[in-house]
Amino acid sequence: MPIAHRFAILLTTLHLAGCPAVEETSPSAAIDTERGHEASEEASPDSVEWPRHGLDHDEQRFSPLDRIHRGNVDELGLVWSFDLEERRGVEATPLMLDGVLYVTAGWSVVYALDAASGELLWRHDPQVPRSFLAKGCCDAVNRGVAHRNGRIFVGTYDGRLVALDAKTGDVIWDVQTTDRSQPYTITGAPRVAGDKVVIGNGGAELGVRGYVSAYDADTGELAWRFHTVPGDPAHPFENAEMERAAATWSGKWWKWGGGGTVWDAITVDPELDLLYIGVGNGSPWNQELRSPDGGDNLFLASIVALRPDTGEYVWHYQTTPGETWDFTATQHIMLADLEIEGRMRKVLMQAPKNGFFYVLDRETGELLSAEPYTTVNWATGIDPETGRPIETTDARTFDGEHVVVPSNGGGHNWPAMSFNPKTGLVYIPTMVFPATFKSPTEKVDREPGGGRWNVGFDRMGAAPPELPEEEVNRILDEAFSGQLVAWDPVAQKARWKGKIGRPTGGGTLSTAGGLVFQGGQDGHIHAYDAATGEDLWSHDTQTGAMAPPITFALGGKQFITAAVGFGGGFAAEGGVVAHGWKIPNVPRVLVFALGGNKQLPPSEVTERPLPKPAPVTATAEVVARGKVVYQRQCAYCHGDGLRTGGLNPDLRYSPPGIHQIWEKIVIDGILEANGMVNFAEFATPEDAEAIRQYVLSEAQRLHESRQ
Ligand code: CA
């Protein structure tokens, strides 16, 4: 891929994530404690809820509702929409309980909406300090809430777990789950396991040690915590697993944090009394720095099974030993019973970033099969005996030239898969784009704490300037693609593949109506034939759609709901790819039903005026230095090569007033309340001025290109 190679960018992470939905009534338990009321009362098929993140504990996201089906889906139309106030990305799976939709927006804000009308019942803003924006990699997003016994639980971007009264939104308890002085964030949805609420966190791009915690749902008291990587061996290990894990590390990994954050997948298995967590990448990414003598570095990039009551370790399976490419195993973990070689197996399925689709025996962690679900060039396969990937000889070539696929963004990221037991297929939003890695050339990048972002590789990005923008976009659209893949997990092969579009395709929903619903970056939500992939219906969303849709029934009528809005890691880092797409971010909840005919308000996309930039007054050397510092410290939020995905300010458009107070912003942090924290620890006033000169030089170039 010579063209992709030419533009190969060290892109940052793109965190950029059946049983019927009708009530689970069992003779021995008339009252479902998770629901907190008489389960039988709502067993009417006229009302079918979406009570958990993945619909049921198995997280298959397969609804038995079939009133909307292949034959009538073309009559599907909008019945209401609701604008979310927060102008950040939208990644939430809503819940629908008792006629109320609970949906989260940016900054961990929770909305309760009347599911039939869209009327706002309450809104809870947990008041996350905006300075936390710089403590995360991938936008102040949130993927949803959990529910138990009349309470709604949300993890907040500043690391709290909050219990709210489902009726009023009043705070019942609010606990800090992380050290606020460290760059921990929470974007994932909590899960309820028995009488506990389980929550992880993120931050492995910025140097933290990962863990997952369980809190008493009634009191908010910490019940247990399981770390995913060992801490400083000078202190006692928390448990025998940490001691065992430490033997797979070398050097002084704890100074870097080690990583292994559990930022999305947490799957509860009441049947086997297990809890499965998906563990993230190493911190820093570059294993040569964090563990110089190699080693597997447990439990990075692993699926770990724990006892939900105690947090005790039961088994683990490591997808990527010695992880070094940001190949997290945090992606959606789905449970199913599948017949494999004539025998029914209780399996767990995952399509982690590394490009292989795994089917494990979830009682034991035994690998049953693994095959590539997308283009993979770093390993030729998974050894069925050892369960380990067979790496290619050049997989760990970090010269800035060698292209690795999948990229650090993954063959699949957080947008959820779904499984249709009738077709036997798993619907995976896949991605293909290249990444190159380059070992750090500057000393500062070879040490812990060298920057707010230090993944141990040089940033390679910045735009190819010579070509016209349309040409760049055309090339990038070919090199950066997303595709819905219908995967047979038993045969381990694709049964159909959707049209090639932009990464990342949104999460998916499967229904008994023979449909797969998915949004995308083309500004539409689609319904595909689950058996063939035929595009049967689409509707304008006016914005990128990343979150997985849900479905529910009220009063005998089936609804399809999607929370839409562009944002997340891709939009924050931007670069020529996301910048070129020019996808507006319009955070909204959209609700569809048969016969719906509401129209969205007209969308307004206006070209922003570019202030005439002041001349560059520094030497070419200073400008070049400014670019280096910018790429290291600023690009993850303000865009690779000063090109944003529209989420954070495009600095080339900075008015003269901003240039006048530049040093006060960068060094003194006077805009901290907006999320622009001070960088005094990582940049000198001379650095700040060099960055400013680089910004001016790029603004000049943009200005000239428009003359
Ligand atoms: Ca990562």
Side-chain angles (χ1 to χ4, degrees), residues 680-703:
E681 197 184 334
F682 308 110
T684 62
E686 291 71 33
D687 288 336
E689 177 59 17
I691 293 167
R692 195 178 77 84
Q693 294 290 337
Y694 166 57
V695 169
L696 284 175
S697 74
E698 288 294 309
Q700 282 285 0
R701 208 170 70 190
L702 180 62
H703 188 71

Side-chain angles (χ1 to χ4, degrees), residues 32 69 71 133 139 144 211 213 233 435 485 492 575 578 580 606 660 672:
D32 179 339
H69 52 73
L133 195 59
D139 193 10
Y211 58 87
S213 315
V485 171
Q492 283 280 20
T606 50
Q660 282 162 18
E672 182 162 318

Side-chain angles (χ1 to χ4, degrees), residues 45 48 62-73 422 510-515 517 551-553 556-560 594:
V48 178
F62 173 76
S63 168
L65 289 170
D66 59 3
R67 284 160 234 188
I68 298 167
H69 52 73
R70 278 175 290 210
N72 63 12
V73 69
K422 295 185 175 181
S510 287
T511 73
L515 298 169
F517 289 87
T551 187
F552 59 87
K557 193 168 182 177
Q558 184 182 355
F559 297 84
I560 304 290
L594 294 177

Side-chain angles (χ1 to χ4, degrees), residues 13-15 137 204-205 261 263 280-282 285 326-328 353 408:
T13 324
L14 286 182
H15 308 307
C137 66
E205 268 64 63
T261 47
W263 55 262
N281 55 278
W285 294 357
D326 192 18
F327 282 168
T328 66
K353 277 192 187 175
N408 49 295

Side-chain angles (χ1 to χ4, degrees), residues 143-475:
R143 284 184 290 280
V145 298
H147 169 265
R148 181 182 184 274
N149 202 12
R151 292 177 177 185
I152 295 294
F153 304 94
V154 63
T156 68
Y157 199 66
D158 57 348
R160 291 175 286 145
L161 182 64
V162 182
L164 303 171
D165 184 310
K167 289 240 180 314
T168 63
D170 292 342
V171 175
I172 296 169
W173 51 256
D174 179 340
V175 297
Q176 186 69 39
T177 74
T178 56
D179 176 352
R180 290 178 78 87
S181 71
Q182 292 194 49
Y184 284 106
T185 53
I186 296 177
T187 57
R191 303 296 200 285
V192 168
D195 58 1
K196 296 181 179 60
V197 188
V198 186
I199 189 75
N201 48 58
E205 268 64 63
L206 298 96
V208 300
R209 180 187 181 200
Y211 58 87
V212 61
S213 315
Y215 290 83
D216 184 298
D218 289 333
T219 65
E221 195 181 338
L222 178 66
W224 55 258
R225 177 163 291 172
F226 181 84
H227 285 90
T228 53
V229 300
D232 182 349
H235 304 295
F237 292 110
E238 287 86 356
N239 51 46
E241 282 68 44
M242 286 299 100
E243 188 167 4
R244 184 165 71 123
T248 68
W249 292 72
S250 64
K252 294 183 177 175
W253 71 86
W254 63 92
K255 291 198 167 182
W256 291 92
T261 47
V262 182
W263 55 262
D264 196 55
I266 299 170
T267 299
V268 182
D269 185 349
E271 189 186 355
L272 297 182
D273 190 30
L274 290 172
L275 176 76
Y276 314 99
I277 59 169
V279 183
N281 55 278
S283 186
W285 294 357
N286 189 344
Q287 194 195 17
E288 292 173 347
L289 301 183
R290 69 166 194 265
S291 186
D293 297 331
D296 286 355
N297 296 176
L298 291 170
F299 293 98
L300 295 181
S302 300
I303 296 164
V304 184
L306 305 172
R307 285 287 169 227
D309 266 355
T310 60
E312 284 173 278
Y313 166 94
V314 181
W315 59 256
H316 80 275
Y317 176 84
Q318 190 173 38
T319 62
T320 311
E323 194 288 308
T324 193
W325 306 271
D326 192 18
F327 282 168
T328 66
T330 47
Q331 282 60 45
H332 183 179
I333 295 174
M334 180 191 285
L335 315 181
D337 293 350
L338 296 180
E339 187 178 329
I340 295 173
E341 294 178 351
R343 183 178 154 201
M344 287 305 289
R345 304 292 294 251
K346 293 189 184 308
V347 308
L348 165 163
M349 299 184 278
Q350 191 191 46
K353 277 192 187 175
N354 75 9
F356 290 92
F357 188 92
Y358 293 85
V359 180
L360 305 184
D361 181 318
R362 69 179 195 266
E363 294 186 277
T364 62
E366 177 198 352
L367 174 70
L368 298 178
S369 62
E371 294 293 337
Y373 62 84
T374 185
T375 309
V376 173
N377 80 346
W378 69 279
T380 57
I382 306 298
D383 184 324
E385 297 303 316
T386 63
R388 299 174 71 91
I390 304 157
E391 287 186 22
T392 54
T393 52
D394 55 1
R396 292 171 192 262
T397 302
F398 306 132
D399 59 1
E401 299 283 325
H402 176 68
V403 173
V404 178
V405 184
S407 73
N408 49 295
H412 167 230
N413 208 300
W414 64 266
M417 314 186 293
S418 60
F419 176 64
N420 184 331
K422 295 185 175 181
T423 61
L425 300 177
V426 178
Y427 302 93
I428 316 169
T430 71
M431 301 186 286
V432 176
F433 53 92
T436 63
F437 300 85
K438 189 166 188 292
S439 286
T441 47
E442 299 214 12
K443 187 168 179 291
V444 65
D445 294 325
R446 301 192 67 86
E447 290 175 351
R452 204 173 282 279
W453 265 85
N454 186 356
V455 295
F457 291 115
D458 278 355
R459 283 188 63 87
M460 299 295 293
E466 304 81 6
L467 298 173
E469 189 168 294
E470 298 72 32
E471 183 70 359
V472 171
N473 291 344
R474 188 188 64 74
I475 292 165

